[in-house]
Structures are given as C-alpha cells and as structure tokens.
Amino acid sequence: MGNAKQTIARRAAQELRDGQIINLGIGLPTMIANYVPAGIDVVIQTENGGIGVGPAPAPGCEDRDRANAGNQPITLVAGGSYFDSATSFAMIRGGHVDSTFLGTLQVDEEGNIANWIVPGGLLAGMGGAMDLVTGAKIVHIVTEHCARDGSSKLMQRCTFPLTGANEADVIITERAVLRRFAHRGWVLEEVAAGYSLADIAACTELAYTVADDVKLDAFGADEAAAEKAARSVLGL
Amino acid sequence: MSIAIGGFIGQGDPLTLIDYLKTMDVGDLTVYENDAGYRDRGTVELVNQGKVKKIVASHVGTTPDIAKAMNEGRLEVEATPQGTLAEMLRCGGAGLGGFLTPTGIGTIAEEGKQIVELNGRPFILVPAARCDIALVRAHRGDTWGNLIFRGTSRNFNVPAAMCADYVIAEVENLYTMGELDPEAIHTSGIFVDAVVRANVSYCTVRDEPLEAAARSK
C-alpha cells in the first residue's frame, strides 16, 4: 500500500500541539514535519545536536555541518541552536522533549517497543532510540499495522529484543489509532477509511478495548481515494 | 589501546587523523565512537585494515563493511545507547567513576550491569570510559587547543575531547592564541594536547578563501 506512510505521517501530525518540543525518528517519522497543521508551531530537536530544525535547504545550499541524525541536510529556524551529544541527551533523558515519534518492528500490550534489532539479523544498533523512549514525555509509535509477511506488528508480547519497556503511549498506523491508559490499557480511538472494527480486530494481536466514541472513517480518506483512483487508472 | 573518536556519520568526523592512523603500524584498537563513519569513509577503513578489534558504538548501520567484519568474526561491536555513550565519555573526562541512567531498563542494555534503585526508580550503573587517545575535529582552533565547532559537527567531538589522556584535534582553521573570542570557545584547550590542520579537502568552510591565503604568503 504505497500511500500508507503518507496516511500515517498525516494522521501523526494531528497529534502535535502548539509549542511542543518534538524529536522525529529517521524515515517515516521525519515525514511528519511535512504535515504540521496550520496554526501549530512545534520545535524539532535532532539528537545529533540541533534544535529548531526547519525546512530542507534549497538545492545547492546544503552544508555538511548542518544535517539531521539521518544525515539529511537541514536548516535551523530563528531561535534554533546547536549543541554537543552529551547536552543533546541531557535534553532527551532529562524530560525536556515533549514527544517523540518512532517507527517500530513490534509493539505490545504492555507498551513494550522493539525497534532496533531482529534476532539473527544484522546488527545496526539502537542509536538514540532507547534514550528517546525513556526520556520523551509522550512516545508515539508510527508504523504500518502489519509486517511485510502480513503478521501484526501490534503484538501480545514482543519477541524481539526491546528498545524500551512499558514506554509506548500512542500507536498510529494506516488503519487505526490506539492510545494506552494506565488502567484501561490500549484503547482503539480511531479507524481509518476503508477499514471496519472487525478488520482492526483481525489484524491486531494486542488486547484493546474500543472507545465509546470511537471514530470510524476518521482519517486516510484522501489516500484511500488516491489509491482507488490510481488502481482504476491501472485497470486493477 | 583505546581511542575515542568524535563525529557523527560523517558530520565532524576527524578524517585527516583517521587517514594518518591508516598509515600507522597499530592494532588491537578499541574504538569508542557513535558510529563507524559513513559508507566507506571513517573508522570503517581502520576496521578493513584489521586494526580494530572492538567498537563501542550506538549505530554501525551506515557503514556496510562493518556488518561483514562482524560476520567474519574480525570485529566485536558493543551496541550502546547514544546518550549512554556520550555520557560515558563525558564522565571519563570529568573524573567520575560512572553514572546512573534510566535508559535501557528492561532491555538487553542492562545485561551484565548493576541496577541501582534510587528514589524508587531503577537505574543502570554505567562505568565511565577513559581512553588512551582521542581524535576530534573542529571548525576553528588555536595553538593552545581551544576549539570552536560548527553546526551539528559539534556532536561527539566535545565529550570525546574530554575523555582521553592524549587528545589530538584537527582544525579547519588554525589561529594563534588570543585570536579566538574567549566567549565563543566550546572546548577549552585544557583538554587538548595537540592541534593539527585538517586536510583542506575535508574542510566545510574556510574562514579565508584558499586562493587569498596562498596569495598572502
């Protein structure tokens, strides 16, 4: 589903609150910056040592000393600054970052997150993810609902080594939004266009309850329509 | 021998010093660095030469040869959370024995480590890292070793410059003492033992255009 990532990024951006300091993981989470709603002003921290990350520089204006943690060229907005890695993680671990958005391999019923290594796979390393899930006040997991083999990433219990225990607060996929509460556990709050409550139940292994005011067709309509149009053009 | 190396996947990597290390007859190195460089440049080159036995890093995914070296049993990688690694180096330079971090509780990062409960919350006790040598790179430096970094190239260069018995800085722009603004120094020369000029082709911004510098000589 080619538009899944856009759907997720667009919906994730709706979580942003004015004035928040946020950190976006590499890949899909970085796309969230493209969908910040009008009237919402957020400050983006990048863990390699910058705060106030702005738009990408114009072609030809890239600077090797101004890049994000994924090595993409950046600019800083007014008020931004640079700092060293020990200071950057003082910000992150110290609870000064309001919210982080990270992709994952697995997330489970207890809010455990596994996003850095597949057993038997190649080791890349956790980078700053363990510090981010520990230190950020709200941890948003932004991920496609299922892995490539079709199995649910929203599991009863993570089987891969954890990035953080009991840290996930919100899960945003192309199909649904779930939020975790201290006593109720995971609550299904929104279902995307093109999916039913039964669809979500069929592709979700972690236990959850459905919110009384669950929103159906809550998001993803634009992408679903675009996908449908594209498929009809292709004669599929 | 242990070496701390500054930089972050190419941002502020001390490539001039790494190039020099490539020509030296050294081996059995333990490297403390955020990563192993970017693509085929950086510490990964020392690994390919067989000089490195172990890397303590947060992420080695930007240098494909590292995976190969690990699979062939030529290299040990100790994956360490990025903030923990930065603080290990900072503490090593600050004379602290170690520190307590909440990062990694309930994960394999706590394996083999002591857990300390403080105010009802568990922390991992992480020993500081004190290294024999550190290699860093700065935008500006003076002959006493005062350093000024530029943009996101500050990163691990600051904690790396603190943590070693002998610290070598390569600088893009070299000044005599007194030329740099004392208010603007990021790393005091007290931490730095030697300063060399960075290879011009690795410099991002020269304070003075090269042609002008050549003319004035």
Side-chain angles (χ1 to χ4, degrees), chain A residues 47-49 63-71 74 82-86 89 93 116 122-128 130-131 134 162-165, chain B residues 8-9 11 38 58-61 67 70-71 77 79-83 86 101-103 106-108 150-156 158 202-204:
Chain A
E47 68 270 23
N48 56 321
D63 182 329
R64 279 188 292 173
D65 289 332
R66 293 164 183 5
N68 64 19
N71 234 359
I74 58 164
Y82 298 108
F83 33 81
D84 67 82
S85 298
F89 282 90
R93 268 191 324 260
W116 72 281
L122 283 180
L123 174 103
M126 67 289 278
M130 283 193 182
D131 299 282
T134 303
L162 299 187
T163 307
Chain B
F8 191 103
I9 54 172
Q11 301 164 36
Y38 194 63
S58 86
H59 198 276
V60 291
M70 284 167 66
N71 285 343
V77 174
T80 305
Q82 204 166 108
T101 182
T103 299
T107 77
I108 62 173
R150 186 168 176 276
T152 49
S153 290
R154 200 182 313 182
N155 58 52
F156 274 77
V158 171
Y202 305 151
C203 294
T204 307

Side-chain angles (χ1 to χ4, degrees), chain A residues 155-203:
Chain A
M155 307 180 73
Q156 212 168 50
R157 185 90 192 158
C158 291
T159 55
F160 296 165
L162 299 187
T163 307
N166 200 22
E167 298 286 4
D169 298 304
V170 186
I171 302 172
I172 298 160
T173 77
E174 78 285 12
R175 304 179 190 185
V177 176
L178 296 97
R179 215 173 293 271
R180 194 166 65 100
F181 296 90
H183 300 294
R184 278 184 82 183
W186 289 106
V187 175
L188 176 65
E189 294 190 340
E190 296 180 24
V191 177
Y195 297 94
S196 65
L197 287 171
D199 291 335
I200 301 305
C203 63

Side-chain angles (χ1 to χ4, degrees), chain B residues 116-179:
Chain B
V116 176
E117 199 162 300
L118 206 61
N119 302 323
R121 192 179 175 198
F123 293 89
I124 299 176
L125 175 59
V126 182
R130 179 80 191 186
C131 296
D132 298 311
I133 306 276
L135 308 180
V136 303
R137 171 205 182 85
H139 175 55
R140 295 183 179 125
D142 70 19
T143 46
W144 195 59
N146 290 313
L147 304 177
I148 296 174
F149 303 93
R150 186 168 176 276
T152 49
S153 290
R154 200 182 313 182
N155 58 52
F156 274 77
N157 281 305
V158 171
M162 295 174 72
C163 77
D165 294 340
Y166 196 81
V167 177
I168 311 169
E170 62 173 82
V171 298
E172 294 186 3
N173 300 282
L174 182 61
Y175 291 84
T176 56
M177 269 198 280
E179 286 188 301

